[in-house]
Amino acid sequence: MSESRRARLANFINGKFVAPASGTYIDDINPATEEVIAEIPDSGAEDVDRAVAAARAAFPSWSRTPADERSKLLLRLADLIERNFDELARLESCDSGKPIALARRLDIPRAIQNFRFFATAILHQTSDAHMTDTTALNYTLRQPLGVAGLISPWNLPLYLLSWKIAPAIAAGNTCVAKPSEMTPMTAHRLAELSVGAGIPAGVINIVHGIGNKAGRALTCHDGVAAISFTGGTVTGAAVAANAAPRFKKLSLELGGKNPTIVFADADLNKAGPEAIRASFWNQGEICLCGSRIFVEKSLYDHFVEGFVARTKALPVGDPLDEATFVGALISEAHLQKVLGYIDLAKKEGGTIVTGGRRLDRRGFFVEPTVITGLGTDCRVLQEEIFGPVVTITPFDSEDEAIAFANSTRYGLSSSVWTRDLERAHRVAAAIDSGTVWINCWLLRDLRVPFGGMKESGIGREGGFDSLNFFTEAKNVCVKL
Ligand code: TXE
């Protein structure tokens, strides 16, 4: 896109699109072409203040709006996302470098589903009652918190933004969302669609800008009752440091270094392709990607051979080409980080079996890369790379597989492949991760608790866990 055609985005505050107080903007780059496609507000504390004030003003009326009315408005927003499916998929692809085929299959359908899911969940909520013998009746009210601060990353932009906005406003809160500065486009479009859906002014506010400025101002704002954050573990610690002393409710969905464990009895026709998807979907830029593959020794050589052959055959390149499987990484800086880990793997004694190089073209492309020969304590197996890079390591026994899986400070998800049902349950119980997939990967039911153990996060989202997070439980005790 030429300079003259680049979009200039605005903040969305109180139902209106407004320029940032600073009057300054940040470039938004298409990772596949390195062209500037938009300018986004470089917002700061003043903009966050305005957005929080609008959200606070909208709260009394929105929180008293009957659930079925809120539900209808969210369903209307879902319909509008669906009606603009192709445009949103294209925006997501151009903004993040992800294959458009993936945006169509994963990101946009999930955004629609998020709104529909929480729009209908609030129609089925119940509350507890506790009888104290014949002396008293206690019942629990679940009431919205006020203003929710929602901070989302660049890897699944609309998917994760809607995963936060939908439950927050369905539960009767108003919100101020801060999308990633790398991928603002679909958030901007969502704001426009929310007007069309009839969501009242001030219920959804969107402030664009960089994390350490606009994001930080949101986490420090006294008018914000809760922060829901998805992003890197280091950033999560900074968010917690700001939010915790202000006693905000806090939900942190952070990084992962997830194991894929393949036992010798696994159905390789399924485990092979799914391990490829878990490794390289969205260029490996999903916190749930299985970046450490552990394979039972008797199967190891055969598995590596098949996995490498499949990896070599993956179409890498133009995200707008429907056949592309691996698109561009989010930025030059992130690409350099990923290449740095590939270099480190060589220094740590690993073998790059395939891939390892930047593509010789414009854009931030790295070949899907498979590394063998590294121990589980190497940095490459300990740190989140968040790119199309996986390691494959052999194991001797079930106990060793579990020990390898649990050997990092992360604990988000894992994927276990075996035909032995008893072993599957044993291993699932022994792995330290918030989700264990048996003979599958990234199979999501939106009702189940989702979140991480150890440094992968605090709290659970999904289903009633999300609605509980975005409400306060109040016990009312009535003397009989
Ligand atoms: O994410 P950040 P970055 C991992 C991945 C990646 C690394 C860094 O390993 O390489 O994190 O990516 C906002 N106060 N993941 O730097 O910084 C920021 O503007 C408040 C894993 O892009 O975590 C953005 O909106 N907010 C991950 C959001 O936080 C702040 C997804 C996430 O950005 C802030 C993305 C601050 N001080 C990256 N600093 C996953 N697990 O899904 C930044 N932000």
Side-chain angles (χ1 to χ4, degrees):
M1 200 180 275
S2 70
E3 293 243 340
S4 57
R5 284 179 56 210
R6 52 164 94 143
R8 173 171 275 196
L9 306 192
N11 289 328
F12 181 62
I13 298 177
N14 206 23
K16 303 229 158 25
F17 288 94
V18 293
S22 66
T24 55
Y25 291 81
I26 310 162
D27 285 346
D28 176 31
I29 291 167
N30 177 334
T33 63
E34 301 185 36
E35 285 172 330
V36 177
I37 52 172
E39 294 176 344
I40 68 158
D42 181 12
S43 308
E46 210 177 313
D47 305 288
V48 169
D49 254 352
R50 287 182 195 165
V52 173
R56 284 175 75 89
F59 179 70
S61 158
W62 181 248
S63 57
R64 284 198 299 267
T65 302
D68 71 330
E69 185 58 28
R70 294 200 303 268
S71 174
K72 274 183 205 144
L73 293 172
L74 265 73
L75 289 172
R76 235 183 264 160
L77 182 52
D79 289 346
L80 286 181
I81 297 172
E82 198 163 46
R83 226 175 285 160
N84 292 275
F85 192 99
D86 287 340
E87 182 208 351
L88 286 163
R90 198 181 165 84
L91 282 176
E92 207 70 299
S93 173
C94 293
D95 216 7
S96 68
K98 74 175 66 220
I100 191 160
L102 184 64
R104 277 190 217 291
R105 181 169 160 194
L106 179 73
D107 297 74
I108 311 306
R110 182 53 195 277
I112 297 165
Q113 212 187 347
N114 286 339
F115 280 106
R116 291 197 176 136
F117 178 82
F118 287 107
T120 48
I122 54 171
L123 303 178
H124 304 282
Q125 266 181 304
T126 54
S127 67
D128 290 331
H130 300 86
M131 295 297 296
T132 313
D133 300 320
T134 52
T135 324
L137 161 66
N138 296 272
Y139 62 89
T140 311
L141 287 178
R142 294 226 66 113
Q143 296 178 310
L145 307 167
V147 180
L150 312 174
I151 301 177
S152 52
W154 44 259
N155 56 337
L156 300 165
L158 190 62
Y159 172 131
L160 287 172
L161 183 69
S162 55
W163 180 238
K164 298 182 184 305
I165 291 182
I169 67 171
N173 302 280
T174 56
C175 71
V176 178
K178 210 297 284 171
S180 171
E181 58 273 34
M182 312 269 198
T183 51
M185 300 296 271
T186 49
H188 179 76
R189 195 72 188 99
L190 182 73
E192 291 175 339
L193 296 177
S194 77
V195 177
I199 299 202
V203 173
I204 298 175
N205 302 276
I206 295 181
V207 175
H208 295 279
I210 62 169
N212 207 16
K213 202 164 147 191
R216 193 172 179 283
L218 191 56
T219 59
C220 294
H221 202 292
D222 288 331
V224 173
I227 296 287
S228 172
F229 170 84
T230 301
T233 292
V234 174
T235 319
V239 166
N242 289 327
R246 295 175 170 85
F247 306 106
K248 297 181 192 309
K249 274 188 105 172
L250 193 56
S251 169
L252 301 173
E253 298 288 347
L254 308 176
K257 189 74 183 173
N258 311 300
T260 300
I261 302 175
V262 185
F263 285 96
D265 68 344
D267 179 349
L268 263 196
N269 289 325
K270 292 183 183 144
E274 281 297 273
I276 288 282
R277 200 165 70 89
S279 302
F280 301 122
W281 234 24
N282 208 45
Q283 303 72 244
E285 295 169 325
I286 302 181
C287 52
L288 301 166
C289 275
S291 51
R292 295 180 299 147
I293 304 175
F294 299 114
V295 183
E296 194 162 2
K297 205 165 256 171
S298 58
L299 179 67
Y300 181 78
D301 289 339
H302 180 61
F303 181 91
V304 172
E305 193 187 326
F307 190 88
V308 168
R310 283 176 190 277
T311 303
K312 283 183 172 157
L314 293 175
V316 187
D318 183 1
L320 292 177
D321 181 336
E322 292 287 346
T324 293
F325 191 88
V326 177
L329 296 180
I330 187 68
S331 65
E332 175 71 32
H334 189 56
L335 173 137
Q336 291 303 336
K337 175 183 150 182
V338 171
L339 291 177
Y341 275 106
I342 295 170
D343 259 358
L344 179 65
K346 293 177 201 158
K347 289 188 192 121
E348 287 185 316
T351 305
I352 314 298
V353 191
T354 183
R357 285 164 311 186
R358 180 178 193 161
L359 256 53
D360 184 18
R361 55 163 288 172
R362 260 182 97 100
F364 313 128
F365 296 89
V366 172
E367 293 170 334
T369 301
V370 180
I371 301 167
T372 57
L374 289 178
T376 52
D377 52 353
C378 287
R379 279 183 56 203
V380 170
L381 273 89
Q382 289 292 319
E383 298 173 18
E384 188 182 39
I385 300 173
F386 221 59
V389 179
V390 289
T391 57
I392 314 184
T393 312
F395 66 83
D396 277 319
S397 64
E398 185 179 312
D399 284 347
E400 190 173 56
I402 293 165
F404 283 179
N406 289 342
S407 67
T408 73
R409 60 200 178 97
Y410 294 107
L412 191 56
S413 70
S414 49
S415 171
V416 179
W417 293 85
T418 178
R419 285 181 165 113
D420 178 339
L421 197 59
E422 286 178 24
R423 172 159 63 198
H425 291 301
R426 263 197 320 269
V427 173
I431 292 181
D432 300 331
S433 68
T435 298
V436 181
W437 279 296
I438 307 286
N439 296 329
C440 59
W441 176 74
L442 200 48
L443 188 56
R444 289 279 288 120
D445 181 322
L446 300 190
R447 293 169 300 178
V448 306
F450 175 83
M453 292 185 182
K454 302 197 278 188
E455 293 187 24
S456 288
I458 295 177
R460 293 291 179 270
E461 294 184 347
F464 291 113
D465 284 300
S466 289
L467 293 175
N468 286 345
F469 173 75
F470 285 113
T471 52
E472 197 83 77
K474 182 191 282 175
N475 185 61
V476 181
C477 177
V478 185
K479 175 86 173 65
L480 297 176

